[in-house]
Amino acid sequence: MSPKAAQREKPLIMVVGCGDLGSRLLTMLLQTPETQHVVITGRAEERLTRTANLARFAAANLGLVGEVGVERVDLDDVDATAETLARVRPDIVVMTASLQSWRVITQLPREHFEALDEAQFGPWLPMHLTLNHQLAKAVRESGTAPVVLNAAFPDAVGPVLDTVGLAPTAGIGNVANIIPALTFGFAIEAGVAPADVRVRLIAQHYFSHYVPRFGDEGNGRYHLSATVNGEPLDDIPHRAVFAHLSGRLRRLGGEAGQLLTASSAMRVVHGLAGGGGRTAHAPAPGGLPGGYPVRVDAGGIALDLPADVPLDLAVAINEDCQRADGIDRIDADGTVTFSAREMSVMKELLGYECRTMRLEDSGEWAEELGAKYRKFAERVTA
């Protein structure tokens, strides 16, 4: 088989967005033989070209020559995006774009970040839902059927879009990002090698954000189990494990922490691309709320719940944890009701208040939230 023929047999992976996460993921994709057929998309063509070539040349230094294309995509133009999808026909789409990255508020002066962080992540949903809705409509209009993986607040974006039949296949990051540290934490407590430990976690974004920072679960409901070589580690207190995450296992966050999210995405994409079946964790598989253990292979993504946790209980755990993240509920028509306490923080600091939001109004709320946040940031950094 010729090299070109072999390349064509690899799935075509489209990365939507050329920010820090998309760039890191592109580098990993081109440095892995099963995922070396990529197209990266965004609005800034010069940045796209330079990013693509940087990743291409870095892979070449390692003796790996993949194929990376560049396509201009503006998600606000659904028709044009659909035409691009129909022409390129990707097998896997990884959505990394948002109207405002989660890490933007981490760049505020510390006291102002910590005050605004009390609002949790739920109130920022419009910034992540809006472009995902546009992409989902474009995928439907294109007539293609790629696997779609979403990195932008997938825990809530997935179930909202599921109410109109547009949910991504699954999300990436969040629940998956805390699994390596939990694995090392259990290994420390049990006195075994991390490679012998398997962790299963059911939890919404709040949990994976809170535990590494504070060393406990805060207000987040979760279900966590671990085994070593198949034997349960039921006698190890979770709080002892959690304490390691803010202690000896503490890590960089913010922009640097995107490396971990990119690797979480890579684990899922590699399984889908034929890199062998594997266990993983993913938010919103099939549009479910929150995060779950899954199995991934070339056939797709399937839930891998512990035997003692039925699906309805897993969903209830995540919906409860979601309330700690500032989202009270997601109705069957896609209307989101935000929690009063968390939204009161947004009102006090930003002058922004949205108690309920319909899916079709997400863009308008995102515009208002973005404008009010920018004024706040200008004021506290002046």
Side-chain angles (χ1 to χ4, degrees):
M1 181 183 298
S2 70
K4 287 187 176 180
Q7 183 68 62
R8 285 195 300 270
E9 288 188 359
K10 297 175 182 177
L12 176 57
I13 302 162
M14 175 182 282
V15 178
V16 179
C18 191
D20 188 70
L21 176 58
S23 300
R24 289 179 187 269
L25 177 59
L26 175 65
T27 298
M28 292 183 180
L29 291 169
L30 291 180
Q31 293 180 9
T32 306
E34 292 83 3
T35 60
Q36 287 184 313
H37 192 191
V38 189
V39 58
I40 188 164
T41 73
R43 292 183 298 181
E45 293 183 81
E46 182 66 15
R47 176 177 172 81
L48 288 170
T49 298
R50 290 178 178 272
T51 299
N53 283 328
L54 177 62
R56 188 205 313 264
F57 300 155
N61 260 344
L62 301 176
L64 297 163
V65 179
E67 180 179 344
V68 56
V70 167
E71 293 284 345
R72 187 182 187 281
V73 166
D74 182 348
L75 293 171
D76 286 332
D77 190 335
V78 173
D79 290 342
T81 303
E83 290 174 3
T84 300
L85 286 163
R87 173 170 50 81
V88 176
R89 306 195 74 79
D91 300 292
I92 300 169
V93 174
V94 186
M95 170 60 160
T96 71
S98 288
L99 291 174
Q100 179 176 299
S101 170
W102 64 271
R103 60 185 172 81
V104 166
I105 72 167
T106 68
Q107 298 164 359
L108 294 170
R110 181 171 179 175
E111 63 177 304
H112 298 291
F113 161 67
E114 290 179 349
L116 188 54
D117 194 47
E118 287 296 313
Q120 306 305 329
F121 204 50
W124 299 95
L125 175 60
M127 306 305 252
H128 311 287
L129 175 59
T130 302
L131 293 184
N132 266 285
H133 191 200
Q134 299 290 76
L135 175 62
K137 289 187 289 186
V139 170
R140 180 176 60 187
E141 185 179 311
S142 73
T144 63
V147 171
V148 180
L149 304 174
N150 168 37
F153 200 8
D155 305 66
V157 166
V160 173
L161 291 181
D162 190 51
T163 65
V164 292
L166 293 176
T169 308
I172 57 96
N174 294 349
V175 66
N177 289 352
I178 198 174
I179 296 302
L182 290 175
T183 301
F184 276 75
F186 273 108
I188 290 168
E189 289 296 308
V192 299
D196 294 332
V197 176
R198 183 184 176 194
V199 170
R200 277 194 178 104
L201 173 65
I202 298 164
Q204 196 263 2
H205 162 269
Y206 172 93
F207 179 89
S208 58
H209 173 70
Y210 195 95
V211 174
R213 295 182 63 207
F214 300 106
D216 63 74
E217 70 276 21
N219 298 321
R221 188 181 176 193
Y222 68 97
H223 184 281
L224 174 63
S225 61
T227 59
V228 57
N229 296 320
E231 294 298 318
L233 292 173
D234 296 337
D235 58 337
I236 294 179
H238 292 174
R239 285 286 181 92
V241 175
F242 298 163
H244 289 303
L245 274 63
S246 59
R248 64 188 291 186
L249 297 177
R250 62 193 183 278
R251 63 172 176 84
L252 292 173
E255 183 174 322
Q258 295 280 59
L259 178 64
L260 189 59
T261 304
S263 66
S264 294
M266 189 66 203
R267 185 177 182 92
V268 174
V269 174
H270 187 242
L272 290 168
R278 58 177 53 198
T279 60
H281 283 75
L288 294 173
Y292 306 81
V294 295
R295 287 189 175 273
V296 185
D297 59 28
I301 300 172
L303 286 172
D304 187 27
L305 297 175
D308 60 343
V309 182
L311 178 58
D312 59 349
L313 176 57
V315 169
I317 289 169
N318 274 309
E319 288 178 336
D320 198 11
C321 194
Q322 181 175 261
R323 293 184 186 96
D325 214 16
I327 294 178
D328 189 61
R329 69 179 188 274
I330 298 170
D331 293 335
D333 65 355
T335 298
V336 180
T337 298
F338 297 96
S339 305
R341 190 190 76 83
E342 285 71 27
M343 190 56 71
S344 69
V345 177
M346 303 291 281
K347 182 179 181 180
E348 178 183 352
L349 296 178
L350 306 185
Y352 170 85
E353 184 177 28
C354 173
R355 287 305 311 278
T356 62
M357 180 184 73
R358 299 183 305 168
L359 172 58
E360 57 266 33
D361 296 333
S362 175
E364 294 178 13
W365 283 112
E367 185 175 354
E368 178 180 338
L369 177 54
K372 291 187 173 180
Y373 172 76
R374 287 190 292 274
K375 288 183 180 179
F376 172 76
E378 289 171 5
R379 184 172 72 251
V380 302
T381 57

